[in-house]
Amino acid sequence: GLKDKMYPDFVARFYDTLYSSLRSGVDSAFYLKRIKEAKGPVLEIGVGTGRLFIPAIQSGADIYGIDVSPRMIEVLKAKLDKKYHSRIFVQNAIDLNLKKKFSLVIAPFRVFSHFIEIKNQLRALNKIHAHLKPEGKLIFDVFVPNLKMLLEGITKAIDFDGEYEPGKKLKRIVSMKPDLARQMSNVTMKFIWEDKGREKSAEWNFSLRYFFRFELEHLISRSKLKLEKILGDFKENEPNAQSQDFIVICKRKD
């Protein structure tokens, strides 16, 4: 089904290897601090293989998670004590339906860029609104569009060349074709790995929507949420010419 096309097996399989090397911990520290400060239950959208969820649950947070990919959830459950399995659900934010309200909802690491259509962006925001307690907050991040990259695209850049297990090589080659008219980046990631002495390869194609700052402001104002602020990095500075991330903080208004 659509859900598994989004995250094929090989993507879930190598996810932790890739992102422990490619993602610095700056966003983790930011989100874990917010989770810790939350005065009630927290929901993580796009829980993945547990990069934030696991340290949060280990620190005693009252956290729940959803992910669109059953495979990612399987990988996460394998790492978690069974008593926490009931806190994780295969769901998409645009159809979010949990019998619970949250003090904080987070959608880290570009989750919102996967919502291509405006109607789905608004649906997700309004579903989240319905799951927030009064004064509850939503925090999500998207990348700041790199204008040079959007004009030129990316051709076969190797962003990982190492091992996924001792003695087993893994390489990832990334290409990106911009679609300026639709404000999209069409990404192809080719994975090449060794398995039982043989070389295997597979491609993952997906599209990401990019957002500009004032577009985000307009989008939130069309939703039921109220924009509190947009930050330009995880150290909580204002957006500036060097910003690579927009961190959008909204709250439920009644």
Side-chain angles (χ1 to χ4, degrees):
L2 173 73
K3 288 189 168 84
D4 279 353
K5 273 218 277 297
M6 212 168 147
Y7 287 97
D9 271 11
F10 60 91
V11 175
R13 178 178 177 185
F14 299 128
Y15 195 85
D16 289 344
T17 303
L18 287 164
Y19 287 104
S20 58
S21 111
L22 297 174
R23 274 307 258 180
S24 70
V26 291
D27 68 328
S28 311
F30 171 88
Y31 281 113
L32 289 169
K33 178 171 174 270
R34 297 293 179 135
I35 290 166
K36 198 174 176 149
E37 289 166 355
K39 300 278 187 283
V42 178
L43 174 65
E44 182 182 2
I45 294 173
V47 69
T49 60
R51 191 172 62 96
L52 291 169
F53 188 90
I54 290 171
I57 208 107
Q58 284 168 346
S59 71
D62 184 14
I63 189 167
Y64 295 78
I66 65 165
D67 202 284
V68 72
S69 163
R71 188 71 186 90
M72 292 286 227
I73 295 276
E74 273 172 36
V75 173
L76 172 55
K77 282 186 170 173
K79 298 192 228 173
L80 275 178
D81 191 308
K82 279 209 169 46
K83 67 180 176 201
Y84 299 125
H85 287 195
S86 60
R87 290 175 168 266
I88 309 163
F89 309 88
V90 176
Q91 279 199 24
N92 190 330
I94 60 178
D95 304 311
L96 183 63
N97 184 18
L98 297 171
K99 307 281 176 275
K100 203 163 180 62
K101 298 217 173 185
F102 300 91
S103 299
L104 172 65
V105 175
I106 59 170
F109 197 27
R110 328 272 192 247
V111 165
F112 257 79
S113 299
H114 291 279
F115 304 131
I116 305 295
E117 308 293 337
I118 294 172
K119 66 170 198 267
N120 285 340
Q121 295 159 15
L122 286 169
R123 254 182 79 172
L125 290 168
N126 290 337
K127 287 280 186 190
I128 290 164
H129 175 273
H131 284 76
L132 282 172
K133 294 180 176 226
E135 299 299 303
K137 288 190 184 180
L138 162 67
I139 306 176
F140 68 93
D141 66 81
V142 290
F143 56 90
V144 173
N146 174 329
L147 299 183
K148 189 169 186 289
M149 202 184 284
L150 289 180
L151 286 173
E152 297 171 1
I154 301 169
T155 308
K156 296 191 172 161
I158 297 172
D159 73 347
F160 185 89
D161 191 352
E163 294 183 335
Y164 68 94
E165 279 170 20
K168 292 186 178 176
K169 289 194 178 64
L170 169 67
K171 186 189 278 191
R172 188 170 80 170
I173 304 163
V174 179
S175 298
M176 186 275 282
K177 287 196 172 72
D179 179 344
L180 298 180
R182 297 186 64 211
Q183 253 179 250
M184 272 167 36
S185 302
N186 297 317
V187 182
T188 299
M189 290 185 174
K190 184 173 187 181
F191 291 67
I192 302 169
W193 70 96
E194 286 177 337
D195 205 347
K196 302 187 174 75
R198 309 244 300 274
E199 186 176 281
K200 294 191 168 182
S201 72
E203 276 192 3
W204 180 32
N205 297 290
F206 59 94
S207 299
L208 294 174
R209 261 291 260 104
Y210 54 87
F211 298 87
F212 292 95
R213 177 185 179 175
F214 298 118
E215 175 188 5
L216 288 166
E217 294 197 6
H218 284 297
L219 181 68
I220 303 302
S221 71
R222 282 184 66 189
S223 79
K224 294 178 181 173
L225 292 160
K226 181 179 169 58
L227 181 66
E228 198 167 278
K229 59 184 168 216
I230 296 179
L231 301 171
D233 60 37
F234 290 104
K235 298 190 174 74
E236 310 203 19
N237 296 306
E238 294 287 308
N240 59 50
Q242 278 68 51
S243 295
Q244 294 183 343
D245 297 282
F246 288 132
I247 295 104
V248 184
I249 304 176
C250 314
K251 72 174 183 193
R252 184 180 163 117
K253 53 168 199 229
D254 287 298

